[in-house]
Amino acid sequence: MARELPTGGVAAGVVPRPLPPGVRRRRFLQAVANHTVLVALSAMFLMPFVFVVLTALMTDRQALSAAIWPRPFRWSNFLEVFRAIDLVRYTWNTVQVAVGATVGVVVSCVPVAYALSRLRWRGRQAAFVVVLSTLMLPFQVTVVPLYIIFVRFGWIPSLKPLIVPMFFGDAFSIFLLRQFFLTIPEELTDAARVDGASELQIMTRVVVPLAKPAIAAVALFQFLYSWNDLFAPLLFVGGDPNLWTLSIGLAQFRTMTQVDWNLMMAASVLFMLPVIVLFFLAQRVFVEGVTLTGVKG
Amino acid sequence: MRRALVVLSVLAAVGAACTAGGGGGTSPPPTIEPSGTHEPVTIEIWGAWSGRELKQFNQIFPAFEEKYPWITVKSVGNRDDEAIVAAIRAGNPPDVVLSFGLDSVGEFCASGGWQDLTPYIEQSDFDLSQFPESVFKYTSFAGSQCALPFLTDAYGLYYNVDLFEKAGLTEPPKTFSELTEYAKKLTEFNPDGSIKVAGFVPWAGFYEFGAVTLSIPWQAHWYDESGEHSAVATDPRWKQALEWQRDLVDFYGAANLKRFIAGLGGEWGAGHAFHHGQIAMMIDGEWRTAFIQDLAPDLNYATAPFPVPDDAADRYGMGQIGGTIIGIPRGSPHPAEAWLLVSWMATDTDTLVYMANNVRNVPTTYAALESPDLDVTPQFKTFLDIFQNPYSHYKETSAIGVQDQDLMGAFMEDWQEGKVPDLQAGLEQVAEQIDALLAQARI
Amino acid sequence: MSPWVVGFSVFIVYPMVSSLYFSFTRYDLLSEPVFVGLENYRFMFTQDPNFWQSVRNTLWMVGVGVSLRIVFGVVTATVLTWPRRGAKVYRTIFFLPTMAPPVAAAVAFVFVLNPRIGPVNQLLGALGMEHPPLWFYSPGSAKWGLVLLGLWGVGDAMIIFLAGLLDVPRQLYEAAEIEGAGPWQRFRFVTLPMISPVIFFNLVMGVISGFQYFTQAYVASVATSGNRVATQALGYPQGSMLFYSVYLYQQGFTYFRMGYASAMAWVLFLITMACTALIFRTSARWVHYGGALR
């Protein structure tokens, strides 16, 4: 890959000005070369998807053969897979977790971020440092005692450990929201304060509407995180297949009865689909969110 | 200040919640007069059954409820060992627990998480001689009989009769050198040198073949007699078993074999290689007969006991056994009724025969094994015999659960790839690791 | 604020304190914790070869996986700055794999890289390669399979680099061009320093998450080993996928060695902190804030 760097190092576009034909020809060839590289890379990025979908449409014997193209197309695999594993239940569990956790994070993190950015109180800076430092804390450090706490609560196995803690704040989301809230001009909130609005009103009526993109990004990230996560669900509901999320269900596919590659790929497709649709619907929010964490962080 | 108080009180509450635990007394077990009249009570049993098997399992309880009209049984499926351990730890376990996890018997018994049933057995004059001797090797640990058997698995040799005929073979192999010889005869290669049909795949991690299934027919011991030290470096059988395995792997070539395995169907699906004649022989449990009946009814196959070492030919007929266990967890709310259920499940002939016929496992009492109602095909019969063979056993359990076999399994992966220059030194290292874990578990 | 304080205490502070305590005990959840002093740490460092294997695997993944991901992220982001038309379409395509749930992506790669029936090896075979790699079935190539999987999902890093690249003032390139700098020199002396803060950010995040690498390794092992019991498949093949978090999970939640797992968690925390601190220390030398040219 790195080999392509020197030849393609025209890192940014060039300001247009009248050009002699020789240069224009070179530019044209350059553009063709550029697009060739881009198309080749695109093909590489798309290939795995293509193979997965094609295999999902094969018969089980064919999936085990050298064939690339399904013959015949077995669309019924997408129904079959619901019989092979309890996909409906896994999806329902995953939706509960993802929606619950997302609501929890938004409800709990907005006020904290507000307090950390808009309210003046002693220890605010210290609190922010604490939030930042928990960003660094590996989940592994707290997971054993957490497991034991949840056992004592009688929450294992249940979906609660995956949802309830999110109602008590999440360092990453607090951090992201606080960074965004800081960019909202003080004058706006001060003006509202002069008008006699309470802090709650300022938060819900002034700050939240302005911070919609950031809140959307936080919600989206949490949703995807919960939708995709394997480690925590494995710990907390791994013992009860009735509570499995899609991640566990798919990860265990091979070890369960009555499966083969074609159905496994069909399940993968069904698992990817909602997220990819979501991505196309909310691409802008998503890209902005990633960039916000990376560049402004 | 108020905030600090909140934090403190929360910490205190959680702290208290996390340090509580069940104590274990040695008071005599609660008993109940089975024929008297009693307040109605519902008892709960947890097990890892799911789907079709769970439905079948739930069918057994009406007979019990008829016998003890004041008891209602609530059966909860999909509860594996992790969930059971969590519930015991939380102090709200069910009355009766059922586990497929034989390897945890050591931990269950040693920790008292599963109660020692000996007092119950003594108090109710429960007759242990209705079980073949071999079941006690996997239901007790260090003198604590903390479980009873509820059906079992048995492992034997499956072979493809058509492929045998094609290769001019009629009888199953009885010793390991015969197994090698047969495997070579039955193997077919493609023109490019890749494997088309494998006679026998001696690859740890492939279907049921692994450290445990290899050690038992080889009569290799995991622990010395004291049970305190690993025997994998001192019992010469280990070396013989592994050298036998390597020899056959080298026949195929490790990389060639791996490529072959990677393209085979899963163990639990319709693509299973044995169903499709891609492997001629394999080691597997009795349940495979049901899978074949279901997924490949036309397959012409037979079963036999797994081969034994050449110098132990007198033990031919033995095999690996060990299956589902039931017991009473610490903190069981109705231990007296729980014992009624456990003892009934372990010994009621109709129940065991019903489960054996439906779930296709081997029943665990003499009466059930001999029952005329037991549905016995020739292929299945092999496993009933293996179970009753006096030399049949499961691997010795220990306080470290599956960690010993995981270590051995990891070692075998290295070994079969040819990554172990000195077998004896390698085995000594495994033994050392197992001993270190045992020592840790004893502190 | 107060729900957060409660949550912070219950879900962070208390667990941290008690996990430190548990790290000095033997605790199997069934019986009471037994205080064993430094035994867990002694065992970990002197008697547990799997621990060291998991450390080596993880360091390899952090070293090779994270750096290749950064290089590939910069490359793809650079490539995305070329076209004047269609940039958005390409960006969407490049980013798409990042959206695939990690479990699904790993399952897909296990199939695509299957040594016998997977399309990649069929292609390599067709190109005349006699012994294409066994990928997830061989300890020598399994981690490279994971690296490829990581590169496929490079999108999140790429998007951040792209934003960084587009922020580089054009005048800088023009100035460099006037001074006679070729494409490589422009990249080396303008682009790299200008995006070094972004590289720094990605490096830190990559290292932190690299030490917690779990999902893809878990899935690949379980899907390839063919072992009936998922937990016995961990690390397959030959322990080459036994990463630190995988091993910690196995110890804590399949063997129920809660004390040992806690000790491992603290060691992980300290290693992560040390590595991050190291990166921060060296950053002064190569990270350029404020767009100063070298």
Side-chain angles (χ1 to χ4, degrees), chain B residues 17-273:
Chain B
C18 288
T19 47
T26 43
S27 48
T31 49
I32 193 150
E33 175 53 48
S35 51
T37 45
H38 304 276
E39 287 294 300
V41 57
T42 297
I43 61 175
E44 218 170 278
I45 175 168
W46 284 11
W49 303 103
S50 64
R52 172 181 62 93
E53 293 183 333
L54 176 63
K55 286 198 191 97
Q56 287 164 340
F57 176 63
N58 290 342
Q59 296 301 314
I60 70 172
F61 298 109
F64 176 79
E65 289 163 346
E66 200 172 310
K67 188 166 177 199
Y68 304 103
W70 80 95
I71 307 179
T72 308
V73 179
K74 184 178 162 214
S75 163
V76 181
N78 295 311
R79 289 284 189 276
D80 71 359
D81 289 350
E82 194 191 322
I84 289 172
V85 168
I88 296 174
R89 171 62 193 145
N92 54 5
D95 300 282
V96 178
V97 286
L98 176 149
S99 165
F100 303 146
L102 275 197
D103 301 295
S104 310
V105 166
E107 290 162 291
F108 292 160
C109 287
S111 62
W114 285 37
Q115 299 182 28
D116 185 2
L117 299 176
T118 311
Y120 295 92
I121 291 167
E122 281 166 3
Q123 200 122 21
S124 59
D125 286 325
F126 183 75
D127 180 11
L128 288 174
S129 69
Q130 22 189 346
F131 305 104
E133 191 64 30
S134 49
V135 304
F136 299 110
K137 292 178 201 154
Y138 68 81
T139 54
S140 63
F141 179 76
S144 163
Q145 180 77 39
C146 75
L148 286 179
F150 180 68
L151 303 162
T152 182
D153 294 329
Y155 285 73
L157 179 81
Y158 280 76
Y159 61 99
N160 185 313
V161 176
D162 291 340
L163 290 174
F164 262 54
E165 279 172 8
K166 210 166 114 190
L169 300 168
T170 48
E171 292 285 302
K174 293 194 171 59
T175 63
F176 277 100
S177 42
E178 278 179 19
L179 179 59
T180 304
E181 188 190 319
Y182 279 46
K184 290 179 180 171
K185 272 188 197 159
L186 290 159
T187 300
E188 284 178 56
F189 292 97
N190 289 316
D192 67 353
S194 62
I195 303 166
K196 188 173 171 216
V197 175
F200 182 85
V201 178
W203 193 259
F206 174 69
Y207 293 170
E208 293 296 317
F209 189 84
V212 177
T213 48
L214 179 67
S215 69
I216 288 167
W218 269 99
Q219 333 272 323
H221 290 286
W222 288 77
Y223 294 97
D224 66 5
E225 287 191 358
S226 69
E228 284 175 18
H229 296 284
S230 168
V232 300
T234 47
D235 184 342
R237 286 295 189 195
W238 278 104
K239 224 174 145 181
Q240 295 167 16
L242 290 166
E243 276 164 356
W244 167 83
Q245 183 216 4
R246 254 305 277 292
D247 186 50
L248 191 51
V249 168
D250 288 344
F251 163 70
Y252 301 102
N256 205 6
L257 199 53
K258 273 201 288 190
R259 213 176 301 272
F260 174 69
I261 293 169
L264 298 176
E267 185 178 0
W268 309 101
H272 193 289

Side-chain angles (χ1 to χ4, degrees), chain A residues 201-224:
Chain A
Q201 281 169 329
I202 297 171
M203 184 177 83
T204 51
R205 305 243 172 96
V206 182
V207 174
V208 168
L210 286 171
K212 261 188 199 151
I215 294 173
V218 162
L220 199 63
F221 283 148
Q222 183 59 46
F223 185 88
L224 287 174

